[in-house]
Amino acid sequence: MQYFESDGLRLAYRVEGEGSPILLVHGFASTHQVNWIATSWSRTLIEAGYRVIMADGRGHGASDKPHDAEAYTLEAMAGDVVALLDHLGEPGADLMGYSMGGMVSLVAAATYPERFDHVIAAGVGERLLDKDKKSTAVVEALLTDDPASIANPAAKLFRTFADQNHQDRKALALCFEAVRADFPDELLSQITRPTLIVAGETDDQAGPAAPLAARIPGGRAFTIPRRDHMKAVGDRAYKEAVLKFLAE
């Protein structure tokens, strides 16, 4: 791992392969290793001729983990994406994020349109537009000292994933509260880059891709057959759709 600074934080990243750059933004409670290497995404993109840029987001993996809720806004994390491009001297790149990383990618694409070519936001869909999303059950599950006491199945899944990845659970709880705030959906109409929204057919967490894509000028949607939120990440059909989109 190498490191760069953004907003006073020391964040970890790695670069693999040669060719046109693509920057990957992982999901909540994950890391670049879990989201992009273990799923063979990095190998797929390298073999297709891309230079793959991956970071551990703030609060995750080998990056700094501030215990400050204001540190985890989508806008702040979008700033980290651009700071990494600046650090590497890259004027622009393709951009792909999954789940929370998909949200960050959409905000980055709207805020810094001159820095991105193709944008893929995966693991997100119509439910991103929901208002007043609740975070209490997941936050409590992350902070409890007794995982056996977690009754909510979805919250328990988040806690298990966090523990498997050896994460700072207090940082994650603050991050989760921040990203569950109402998404700034007015930004969607400001995205000018070619954008692909991807969600699994049975991904109840994301919801369908098409209604979200319809909010983006020229946005497109791809539905991964028979996949939920967790199983969609490394799916072959998802990879094929992205490679086709990037080649256009």
Side-chain angles (χ1 to χ4, degrees):
M1 298 296 289
Q2 302 179 68
Y3 294 87
F4 71 106
E5 286 196 6
S6 176
D7 194 25
L9 299 176
R10 185 173 183 257
L11 305 179
Y13 76 97
R14 68 190 295 172
V15 180
E16 296 182 348
E18 300 291 338
S20 179
I22 181 168
L23 197 156
L24 308 180
V25 188
H26 65 71
F28 176 75
S30 190
T31 64
H32 83 280
Q33 171 71 38
V34 172
N35 215 143
W36 305 120
I37 296 178
T39 59
S40 297
W41 256 115
S42 57
R43 185 181 66 185
T44 297
L45 290 166
I46 290 166
E47 290 176 350
Y50 290 91
R51 180 173 182 241
V52 180
I53 304 165
M54 302 169 280
D56 282 347
R58 54 175 65 195
H60 295 73
S63 291
D64 280 353
K65 304 169 182 65
H67 288 179
D68 173 10
E70 292 300 315
Y72 295 104
T73 64
L74 295 175
E75 293 78 8
M77 290 189 279
D80 294 339
V81 170
V82 173
L84 179 51
L85 290 180
D86 289 343
H87 174 76
L88 295 172
E90 292 283 4
D94 293 318
L95 177 64
M96 179 166 67
Y98 193 84
S99 195
M100 181 183 77
M103 302 177 207
V104 172
S105 296
L106 291 173
V107 172
T111 311
Y112 308 95
E114 73 283 356
R115 302 305 296 271
F116 304 106
D117 298 322
H118 298 80
V119 177
I120 302 106
V124 293
E126 185 177 31
R127 294 204 63 187
L128 181 62
L129 306 176
D130 290 351
K131 304 301 181 184
D132 300 318
K133 296 184 286 291
K134 303 302 181 185
S135 61
T136 305
V138 173
V139 169
E140 290 178 350
L142 288 167
L143 295 178
T144 183
D145 291 328
D146 181 16
S149 68
I150 303 170
N152 184 296
K156 190 175 186 67
L157 186 63
F158 276 112
R159 171 57 183 266
T160 301
F161 192 53
D163 288 343
Q164 285 174 344
N165 295 328
H166 308 291
Q167 302 279 24
D168 180 326
R169 292 186 285 105
K170 183 173 181 179
L172 289 187
L174 292 166
C175 179
F176 191 82
E177 285 188 298
V179 301
R180 293 289 283 181
D182 290 351
F183 184 82
D185 50 6
E186 69 279 1
L187 293 180
L188 296 173
S189 63
Q190 301 174 29
I191 297 175
T192 59
R193 309 311 302 160
T195 302
L196 180 67
I197 304 296
V198 180
E201 183 179 19
T202 61
D203 186 346
D204 295 330
Q205 183 174 322
L212 180 59
R215 299 287 296 270
I216 301 168
R220 291 188 238 169
F222 177 76
T223 300
I224 308 168
R226 302 179 302 280
R227 295 299 189 195
D228 61 18
H229 196 70
M230 299 301 289
K231 293 181 179 178
V233 186
D235 184 84
R236 180 182 297 178
Y238 167 26
K239 292 173 182 171
E240 291 173 351
V242 167
L243 291 178
K244 180 180 178 181
F245 176 68
L246 291 173
E248 294 178 357

